[in-house]
Amino acid sequence: MQTGGGYFSKKCSIWMQRHMGESPALLTTSGSHALDMAARLSGAGPGDEVILPSYTFPSTANAFVGCGATPVFIDVRPDTMNLDETLIEQAITPKTKAIVPVHYAGVACEMDTILEIAGHRGLAVVEDAAQALMASYKGRPLGSLSDYGCFSFHETKNFSMGEGGALIVHGDDANEKAEILREKGTDRSKFFRGQIDKYSWIDYGSSYVPADMLAAYLWSQLEFADEIIADRMSSWQRYMDGLSDLGQETGKGLVELPQIPPGCAHNAHMFYLKTRDLEERTCLIAHLAQNGISAPYHYVPLHSSAAGRKYGVFRGEDRYTTKDSERLLRLPMYYGLSEEDALFVIGKIRAFYHV
Ligand SMILES: *Cc1c(COP(=O)(O)O)cnc(C)c1O
């Protein structure tokens, strides 16, 4: 069992472990740090390439840049904004070391295909499940499906400890390596479990163990995880019901609504819309802002950012990453969002489209 500090840290990591099919779970100081640890544990280093979507948070790429590896960005699928699994094989070279699927909005990437490609080629898979706690793929929990699963408990996520995260590993060997990396390169975790008399410097490491008082704050939410998810799901469904006749498939085709592929159970991390184009999005965001509604857009594709150009490369055609990132905006979504407020947001969007 993980020690990772005190009483509440233990409670949180046992809870995580139980929700991850009994794979070891180590609390970390952030989701970014969980990714940093996973990147290093994956063995990625100078000269290696790592395949990931361009449409993600910088931490996904930073983790591997920090190891000296090169991020190779590929296009996303327009239905989920997740990396397009059909484009992975053509991005693989002899230098490829790992594939990093990001489960955007808590909706699963096509993991069977990704794991099959990785298995075939001997590549590591690191899931950026920062947004995906309590979401699943074909009944299996996201973050537990690959070599390393990385979660975030940042204040913007479904469950928060202010700043924090978790790393999921598989097997005793990986667990021991992760513990050493997390504990300043020492075997202090073993020492605390009474398995050794004194601890020493074993390997490279840093300080990725969060304070127990932050774990106490997280524990107060994990205890009510089902209720928190149910509350968010009802807000998500309320938006869907109130806007579905504006959507592509079911209605007027004024906006695109989120799509949840079969086999994916999401966690209502986010509800987003896609407008026709950037200009319409700018107008809709301004219209909502005038009504006191904050509806931000999301990632600027990494390959077009300063660091992305410096450290990474986009491989293949950018059919959707740029175009769809310019059309996407997020509606207010948080625990305790009232029915009245959700209906107000729906009403203002409908007013914008005159329906
Ligand atoms: C939030 C997030 C991160 C970073 O997590 P932090 O806990 O803020 O460091 C990384 N990747 C994705 C996809 C995220 O949403």
Side-chain angles (χ1 to χ4, degrees):
M1 210 49 68
Q2 302 305 318
T3 57
Y7 178 80
F8 290 105
S9 301
K10 205 174 283 179
K11 277 191 165 313
C12 290
S13 53
I14 291 169
W15 187 98
M16 287 294 289
Q17 189 157 333
R18 192 156 47 81
H19 283 77
M20 292 295 137
E22 294 306 330
S23 293
L26 297 90
L27 289 189
T28 62
T29 35
S30 68
S32 303
H33 282 165
L35 284 159
D36 286 351
M37 290 178 67
R40 188 166 281 274
L41 292 166
S42 77
D48 292 333
E49 294 181 350
V50 175
I51 296 173
L52 71 163
S54 173
Y55 187 72
T56 182
F57 192 71
S59 297
T60 323
N62 269 327
F64 292 90
V65 170
C67 296
T70 301
V72 173
F73 302 113
I74 63 169
D75 208 8
V76 290
R77 295 163 44 145
D79 60 343
T80 56
M81 300 303 279
N82 286 334
L83 96 178
D84 185 339
E85 69 281 357
T86 66
L87 303 175
I88 294 172
E89 295 226 87
Q90 60 208 65
I92 290 176
T93 71
K95 294 178 180 172
T96 308
K97 185 80 181 181
I99 307 170
V100 190
V102 180
H103 305 300
Y104 185 65
V107 179
C109 296
E110 189 44 53
M111 289 305 290
D112 278 350
T113 307
I114 293 166
L115 293 169
E116 195 185 312
I117 295 169
H120 210 230
R121 309 265 192 161
L123 306 177
V125 178
V126 175
E127 286 171 272
D128 183 339
Q131 303 173 8
L133 186 55
M134 294 196 75
S136 64
Y137 173 78
K138 300 185 180 175
R140 291 173 287 154
L142 299 189
S144 75
L145 303 174
S146 61
D147 300 298
Y148 303 99
C150 303
F151 289 98
S152 168
F153 297 119
H154 187 260
E155 61 180 20
T156 51
K157 303 303 198 284
N158 288 19
F159 305 96
S160 164
M161 56 197 284
E163 294 273 6
L167 174 70
I168 309 305
V169 298
H170 301 285
D172 292 341
D173 190 43
N175 187 29
E176 192 171 326
K177 288 198 170 84
E179 281 187 338
I180 290 167
L181 177 56
R182 189 178 65 149
E183 266 292 11
K184 296 98 175 169
T186 73
D187 49 2
R188 191 162 179 256
S189 301
K190 269 188 170 170
F191 171 74
F192 272 126
R193 283 194 296 267
Q195 293 165 328
I196 47 175
D197 292 337
K198 61 179 180 212
Y199 67 88
S200 63
W201 188 24
I202 305 292
D203 202 343
Y204 168 80
S206 191
S207 183
Y208 297 127
V209 182
D212 200 49
M213 63 179 115
L214 298 180
Y217 186 84
L218 176 64
W219 176 246
S220 69
Q221 296 154 62
L222 294 183
E223 274 188 299
F224 299 101
D226 290 330
E227 282 169 66
I228 290 170
I229 296 290
D231 178 88
R232 298 182 75 107
M233 286 301 275
S234 70
S235 297
W236 195 96
Q237 197 55 49
R238 194 163 281 133
Y239 281 141
M240 198 52 131
D241 294 344
L243 297 169
S244 64
D245 64 313
L246 276 63
Q248 273 305 58
E249 301 206 334
T250 45
K252 303 179 174 67
L254 295 167
V255 295
E256 280 173 44
L257 298 166
Q259 293 180 50
I260 312 297
C264 299
H266 72 107
N267 61 357
H269 175 60
M270 192 191 298
F271 191 99
Y272 63 79
L273 296 179
K274 287 184 203 164
T275 58
R276 228 178 324 244
D277 53 28
L278 175 59
E279 193 185 342
E280 186 179 280
R281 183 181 74 175
T282 306
C283 295
L284 177 55
I285 288 175
H287 166 80
L288 293 173
Q290 275 160 19
N291 289 285
I293 300 163
S294 163
Y297 54 80
H298 214 181
Y299 307 129
V300 174
L302 297 185
H303 74 281
S304 55
S305 65
R309 287 199 305 269
K310 182 172 169 188
Y311 295 117
V313 56
F314 193 98
R315 198 161 286 159
E317 192 192 342
D318 173 9
R319 284 181 70 194
Y320 298 108
T321 298
T322 299
K323 192 163 62 77
D324 281 39
S325 69
E326 289 177 350
R327 303 195 293 130
L328 185 147
L329 74 160
R330 296 173 286 158
L331 302 187
M333 172 60 74
Y334 49 86
Y335 173 77
L337 173 65
S338 70
E339 178 173 6
E340 190 189 346
D341 284 348
L343 294 176
F344 180 76
V345 173
I346 292 165
K348 294 302 173 191
I349 294 168
R350 300 189 69 91
F352 179 82
Y353 286 105
H354 308 290
V355 288

Short mmCIF file of all heavy atoms in Angstrom, two decimals, residues 28-35 55-61 102-105 128-132 150-157 162-166 269-270 298-299, ligand 1:
data_model
loop_
_atom_site.label_atom_id
_atom_site.label_comp_id
_atom_site.label_asym_id
_atom_site.label_seq_id
_atom_site.Cartn_x
_atom_site.Cartn_y
_atom_site.Cartn_z
N THR A 28 0.49 12.98 -6.20
CA THR A 28 1.59 13.85 -6.61
C THR A 28 1.22 15.31 -6.36
O THR A 28 0.07 15.63 -6.04
CB THR A 28 1.91 13.70 -8.11
OG1 THR A 28 0.76 14.08 -8.87
CG2 THR A 28 2.28 12.27 -8.46
N THR A 29 2.21 16.16 -6.51
CA THR A 29 2.02 17.59 -6.26
C THR A 29 1.24 18.30 -7.38
O THR A 29 0.78 19.42 -7.18
CB THR A 29 3.39 18.26 -6.07
OG1 THR A 29 4.33 17.60 -6.94
CG2 THR A 29 3.88 18.11 -4.65
N SER A 30 1.10 17.67 -8.53
CA SER A 30 0.26 18.22 -9.61
C SER A 30 0.06 17.17 -10.70
O SER A 30 0.77 16.15 -10.71
CB SER A 30 0.88 19.48 -10.22
OG SER A 30 2.06 19.14 -10.92
N GLY A 31 -0.86 17.44 -11.60
CA GLY A 31 -1.01 16.59 -12.77
C GLY A 31 0.22 16.69 -13.66
O GLY A 31 0.68 15.71 -14.24
N SER A 32 0.76 17.91 -13.74
CA SER A 32 1.98 18.11 -14.53
C SER A 32 3.11 17.25 -13.99
O SER A 32 3.88 16.66 -14.76
CB SER A 32 2.40 19.58 -14.50
OG SER A 32 1.36 20.40 -14.96
N HIS A 33 3.23 17.18 -12.67
CA HIS A 33 4.28 16.37 -12.06
C HIS A 33 4.03 14.87 -12.28
O HIS A 33 4.98 14.10 -12.44
CB HIS A 33 4.43 16.70 -10.58
CG HIS A 33 5.19 17.97 -10.34
ND1 HIS A 33 5.21 18.63 -9.13
CD2 HIS A 33 5.96 18.70 -11.18
CE1 HIS A 33 5.97 19.72 -9.24
NE2 HIS A 33 6.42 19.77 -10.48
N ALA A 34 2.77 14.45 -12.27
CA ALA A 34 2.47 13.06 -12.58
C ALA A 34 2.94 12.74 -14.01
O ALA A 34 3.53 11.69 -14.28
CB ALA A 34 0.97 12.78 -12.43
N LEU A 35 2.71 13.69 -14.93
CA LEU A 35 3.17 13.52 -16.32
C LEU A 35 4.69 13.52 -16.39
O LEU A 35 5.29 12.72 -17.12
CB LEU A 35 2.59 14.63 -17.21
CG LEU A 35 1.12 14.46 -17.59
CD1 LEU A 35 0.51 15.81 -18.01
CD2 LEU A 35 0.95 13.43 -18.71
N TYR A 55 -3.69 19.45 -29.69
CA TYR A 55 -4.78 20.08 -28.94
C TYR A 55 -4.76 19.53 -27.51
O TYR A 55 -5.48 18.58 -27.17
CB TYR A 55 -6.13 19.78 -29.61
CG TYR A 55 -7.27 20.54 -28.98
CD1 TYR A 55 -7.39 21.92 -29.17
CD2 TYR A 55 -8.20 19.90 -28.18
CE1 TYR A 55 -8.40 22.62 -28.57
CE2 TYR A 55 -9.23 20.61 -27.57
CZ TYR A 55 -9.32 21.97 -27.77
OH TYR A 55 -10.33 22.68 -27.16
N THR A 56 -3.91 20.10 -26.66
CA THR A 56 -3.83 19.69 -25.26
C THR A 56 -3.17 20.80 -24.46
O THR A 56 -2.75 21.82 -25.01
CB THR A 56 -3.05 18.36 -25.10
OG1 THR A 56 -3.05 17.97 -23.71
CG2 THR A 56 -1.60 18.49 -25.55
N PHE A 57 -3.07 20.58 -23.16
CA PHE A 57 -2.42 21.52 -22.26
C PHE A 57 -0.90 21.38 -22.40
O PHE A 57 -0.42 20.27 -22.63
CB PHE A 57 -2.88 21.24 -20.82
CG PHE A 57 -2.50 22.32 -19.86
CD1 PHE A 57 -3.13 23.55 -19.91
CD2 PHE A 57 -1.52 22.11 -18.91
CE1 PHE A 57 -2.77 24.57 -19.03
CE2 PHE A 57 -1.16 23.12 -18.02
CZ PHE A 57 -1.79 24.35 -18.08
N PRO A 58 -0.13 22.45 -22.25
CA PRO A 58 1.33 22.36 -22.43
C PRO A 58 2.00 21.27 -21.59
O PRO A 58 3.03 20.71 -22.02
CB PRO A 58 1.82 23.75 -22.01
CG PRO A 58 0.68 24.65 -22.34
CD PRO A 58 -0.57 23.85 -22.06
N SER A 59 1.47 20.95 -20.42
CA SER A 59 2.11 19.96 -19.54
C SER A 59 2.31 18.61 -20.22
O SER A 59 3.28 17.91 -19.93
CB SER A 59 1.29 19.75 -18.28
OG SER A 59 1.24 20.95 -17.55
N THR A 60 1.39 18.22 -21.09
CA THR A 60 1.50 16.93 -21.78
C THR A 60 2.81 16.87 -22.55
O THR A 60 3.51 15.85 -22.54
CB THR A 60 0.31 16.72 -22.76
OG1 THR A 60 -0.88 17.26 -22.20
CG2 THR A 60 0.12 15.25 -23.09
N ALA A 61 3.14 17.98 -23.21
CA ALA A 61 4.36 18.03 -24.01
C ALA A 61 5.59 18.34 -23.15
O ALA A 61 6.65 17.74 -23.32
CB ALA A 61 4.22 19.10 -25.10
N VAL A 102 -4.64 11.84 -24.73
CA VAL A 102 -5.24 12.77 -23.76
C VAL A 102 -6.75 12.56 -23.83
O VAL A 102 -7.34 12.72 -24.90
CB VAL A 102 -4.90 14.24 -24.12
CG1 VAL A 102 -5.53 15.20 -23.12
CG2 VAL A 102 -3.39 14.45 -24.20
N HIS A 103 -7.36 12.21 -22.72
CA HIS A 103 -8.81 11.99 -22.71
C HIS A 103 -9.50 13.33 -22.50
O HIS A 103 -9.84 13.70 -21.37
CB HIS A 103 -9.20 10.99 -21.63
CG HIS A 103 -8.49 9.67 -21.69
ND1 HIS A 103 -8.58 8.84 -22.80
CD2 HIS A 103 -7.69 9.03 -20.81
CE1 HIS A 103 -7.86 7.75 -22.57
NE2 HIS A 103 -7.31 7.83 -21.38
N TYR A 104 -9.70 14.04 -23.60
CA TYR A 104 -10.23 15.41 -23.51
C TYR A 104 -11.66 15.40 -22.97
O TYR A 104 -12.49 14.60 -23.42
CB TYR A 104 -10.19 16.07 -24.90
CG TYR A 104 -10.60 17.52 -24.89
CD1 TYR A 104 -9.85 18.48 -24.23
CD2 TYR A 104 -11.75 17.93 -25.55
CE1 TYR A 104 -10.23 19.82 -24.21
CE2 TYR A 104 -12.14 19.27 -25.55
CZ TYR A 104 -11.37 20.20 -24.88
OH TYR A 104 -11.74 21.53 -24.88
N ALA A 105 -11.93 16.28 -22.03
CA ALA A 105 -13.26 16.42 -21.44
C ALA A 105 -13.73 15.14 -20.74
O ALA A 105 -14.92 14.96 -20.51
CB ALA A 105 -14.29 16.87 -22.50
N ASP A 128 -2.79 10.79 -20.48
CA ASP A 128 -3.07 12.04 -19.79
C ASP A 128 -4.55 12.02 -19.45
O ASP A 128 -5.41 12.38 -20.25
CB ASP A 128 -2.71 13.25 -20.66
CG ASP A 128 -2.91 14.57 -19.92
OD1 ASP A 128 -3.68 14.58 -18.95
OD2 ASP A 128 -2.32 15.58 -20.34
N ALA A 129 -4.81 11.52 -18.23
CA ALA A 129 -6.20 11.39 -17.76
C ALA A 129 -6.51 12.51 -16.77
O ALA A 129 -7.35 12.36 -15.88
CB ALA A 129 -6.39 10.02 -17.11
N ALA A 130 -5.82 13.65 -16.95
CA ALA A 130 -5.96 14.78 -16.02
C ALA A 130 -7.43 15.15 -15.79
O ALA A 130 -7.82 15.52 -14.69
CB ALA A 130 -5.19 15.99 -16.55
N GLN A 131 -8.23 15.03 -16.86
CA GLN A 131 -9.64 15.44 -16.77
C GLN A 131 -10.58 14.26 -16.58
O GLN A 131 -11.79 14.43 -16.61
CB GLN A 131 -10.03 16.18 -18.07
CG GLN A 131 -9.15 17.37 -18.37
CD GLN A 131 -9.44 17.98 -19.72
OE1 GLN A 131 -10.39 17.63 -20.41
NE2 GLN A 131 -8.62 18.95 -20.12
N ALA A 132 -10.03 13.07 -16.40
CA ALA A 132 -10.85 11.87 -16.68
C ALA A 132 -11.13 10.97 -15.48
O ALA A 132 -11.54 9.83 -15.67
CB ALA A 132 -10.16 11.07 -17.78
N CYS A 150 -2.10 9.50 -15.66
CA CYS A 150 -1.80 10.74 -14.96
C CYS A 150 -3.08 11.53 -14.71
O CYS A 150 -3.81 11.85 -15.65
CB CYS A 150 -0.85 11.59 -15.80
SG CYS A 150 0.67 10.70 -16.19
N PHE A 151 -3.33 11.85 -13.44
CA PHE A 151 -4.53 12.60 -13.05
C PHE A 151 -4.13 13.95 -12.48
O PHE A 151 -3.04 14.11 -11.96
CB PHE A 151 -5.32 11.83 -11.99
CG PHE A 151 -6.01 10.62 -12.53
CD1 PHE A 151 -5.43 9.37 -12.39
CD2 PHE A 151 -7.23 10.73 -13.18
CE1 PHE A 151 -6.07 8.24 -12.91
CE2 PHE A 151 -7.86 9.62 -13.69
CZ PHE A 151 -7.29 8.37 -13.56
N SER A 152 -5.08 14.89 -12.57
CA SER A 152 -4.87 16.20 -11.97
C SER A 152 -5.97 16.47 -10.95
O SER A 152 -7.15 16.18 -11.20
CB SER A 152 -4.91 17.29 -13.04
OG SER A 152 -4.98 18.57 -12.42
N PHE A 153 -5.57 17.06 -9.82
CA PHE A 153 -6.54 17.55 -8.84
C PHE A 153 -6.41 19.06 -8.71
O PHE A 153 -6.53 19.63 -7.63
CB PHE A 153 -6.35 16.85 -7.48
CG PHE A 153 -6.60 15.37 -7.55
CD1 PHE A 153 -5.59 14.45 -7.24
CD2 PHE A 153 -7.84 14.87 -7.93
CE1 PHE A 153 -5.81 13.08 -7.31
CE2 PHE A 153 -8.06 13.50 -8.01
CZ PHE A 153 -7.05 12.60 -7.70
N HIS A 154 -6.10 19.69 -9.83
CA HIS A 154 -6.07 21.15 -9.90
C HIS A 154 -7.47 21.68 -9.60
O HIS A 154 -8.47 20.98 -9.79
CB HIS A 154 -5.63 21.57 -11.32
CG HIS A 154 -5.41 23.03 -11.47
ND1 HIS A 154 -6.36 23.87 -12.03
CD2 HIS A 154 -4.36 23.81 -11.13
CE1 HIS A 154 -5.88 25.10 -12.04
NE2 HIS A 154 -4.67 25.10 -11.50
N GLU A 155 -7.54 22.92 -9.18
CA GLU A 155 -8.85 23.48 -8.78
C GLU A 155 -9.87 23.50 -9.91
O GLU A 155 -11.07 23.61 -9.67
CB GLU A 155 -8.65 24.89 -8.22
CG GLU A 155 -8.04 25.84 -9.25
CD GLU A 155 -7.84 27.25 -8.71
OE1 GLU A 155 -7.81 27.42 -7.49
OE2 GLU A 155 -7.72 28.16 -9.54
N THR A 156 -9.41 23.39 -11.16
CA THR A 156 -10.33 23.43 -12.29
C THR A 156 -10.90 22.05 -12.62
O THR A 156 -11.74 21.94 -13.51
CB THR A 156 -9.60 23.94 -13.55
OG1 THR A 156 -8.40 23.15 -13.70
CG2 THR A 156 -9.24 25.40 -13.42
N LYS A 157 -10.46 21.00 -11.97
CA LYS A 157 -10.89 19.65 -12.31
C LYS A 157 -12.10 19.21 -11.47
O LYS A 157 -12.49 19.90 -10.54
CB LYS A 157 -9.72 18.68 -12.12
CG LYS A 157 -8.47 19.05 -12.93
CD LYS A 157 -8.73 19.17 -14.42
CE LYS A 157 -7.51 19.11 -15.30
NZ LYS A 157 -6.68 20.33 -15.32
N GLY A 162 -6.58 21.82 -4.72
CA GLY A 162 -5.91 23.09 -5.00
C GLY A 162 -4.91 22.88 -6.12
O GLY A 162 -5.16 23.24 -7.26
N GLU A 163 -3.79 22.31 -5.77
CA GLU A 163 -2.82 21.80 -6.74
C GLU A 163 -2.49 20.37 -6.33
O GLU A 163 -2.18 20.13 -5.16
CB GLU A 163 -1.52 22.62 -6.73
CG GLU A 163 -1.65 24.05 -7.20
CD GLU A 163 -1.51 24.20 -8.71
OE1 GLU A 163 -1.42 23.19 -9.44
OE2 GLU A 163 -1.49 25.37 -9.16
N GLY A 164 -2.57 19.46 -7.25
CA GLY A 164 -2.25 18.07 -6.91
C GLY A 164 -2.54 17.15 -8.08
O GLY A 164 -3.04 17.59 -9.12
N GLY A 165 -2.19 15.90 -7.91
CA GLY A 165 -2.43 14.94 -8.97
C GLY A 165 -2.19 13.53 -8.47
O GLY A 165 -2.02 13.31 -7.26
N ALA A 166 -2.19 12.59 -9.41
CA ALA A 166 -1.90 11.20 -9.06
C ALA A 166 -1.31 10.50 -10.26
O ALA A 166 -1.61 10.84 -11.41
CB ALA A 166 -3.16 10.48 -8.59
N HIS A 269 -16.87 16.41 -17.18
CA HIS A 269 -15.85 17.40 -16.83
C HIS A 269 -16.15 18.73 -17.52
O HIS A 269 -15.90 19.79 -16.97
CB HIS A 269 -14.45 16.92 -17.21
CG HIS A 269 -13.41 17.96 -16.97
ND1 HIS A 269 -13.17 18.48 -15.72
CD2 HIS A 269 -12.58 18.62 -17.81
CE1 HIS A 269 -12.23 19.41 -15.80
NE2 HIS A 269 -11.86 19.52 -17.05
N MET A 270 -16.70 18.64 -18.71
CA MET A 270 -16.81 19.84 -19.54
C MET A 270 -18.03 19.72 -20.46
O MET A 270 -18.37 18.62 -20.89
CB MET A 270 -15.55 19.89 -20.41
CG MET A 270 -15.29 21.16 -21.15
SD MET A 270 -13.95 20.92 -22.35
CE MET A 270 -12.57 20.49 -21.31
N HIS A 298 -10.70 27.23 -25.46
CA HIS A 298 -9.76 26.35 -24.76
C HIS A 298 -8.39 26.39 -25.40
O HIS A 298 -7.94 27.47 -25.77
CB HIS A 298 -10.34 24.93 -24.64
CG HIS A 298 -9.93 24.24 -23.37
ND1 HIS A 298 -10.32 22.96 -23.05
CD2 HIS A 298 -9.16 24.66 -22.34
CE1 HIS A 298 -9.79 22.63 -21.87
NE2 HIS A 298 -9.09 23.64 -21.43
N TYR A 299 -7.74 25.25 -25.60
CA TYR A 299 -6.33 25.26 -25.97
C TYR A 299 -6.05 25.94 -27.31
O TYR A 299 -6.75 25.74 -28.29
CB TYR A 299 -5.81 23.83 -26.09
CG TYR A 299 -6.06 22.99 -24.87
CD1 TYR A 299 -6.65 21.74 -24.99
CD2 TYR A 299 -5.70 23.43 -23.60
CE1 TYR A 299 -6.89 20.95 -23.88
CE2 TYR A 299 -5.94 22.65 -22.49
CZ TYR A 299 -6.53 21.41 -22.63
OH TYR A 299 -6.77 20.64 -21.54
C1 LIG B 1 -5.12 20.09 -15.97
C2 LIG B 1 -4.38 19.37 -17.00
C3 LIG B 1 -3.00 19.09 -16.88
C4 LIG B 1 -2.14 19.65 -15.79
O1 LIG B 1 -2.54 19.32 -14.49
P1 LIG B 1 -2.06 20.26 -13.28
O2 LIG B 1 -2.56 19.53 -12.06
O3 LIG B 1 -2.70 21.59 -13.46
O4 LIG B 1 -0.57 20.32 -13.30
C5 LIG B 1 -2.39 18.32 -17.86
N1 LIG B 1 -3.08 17.85 -18.92
C6 LIG B 1 -4.39 18.11 -19.08
C7 LIG B 1 -5.12 17.55 -20.27
C8 LIG B 1 -5.08 18.89 -18.15
O5 LIG B 1 -6.38 19.16 -18.33
#
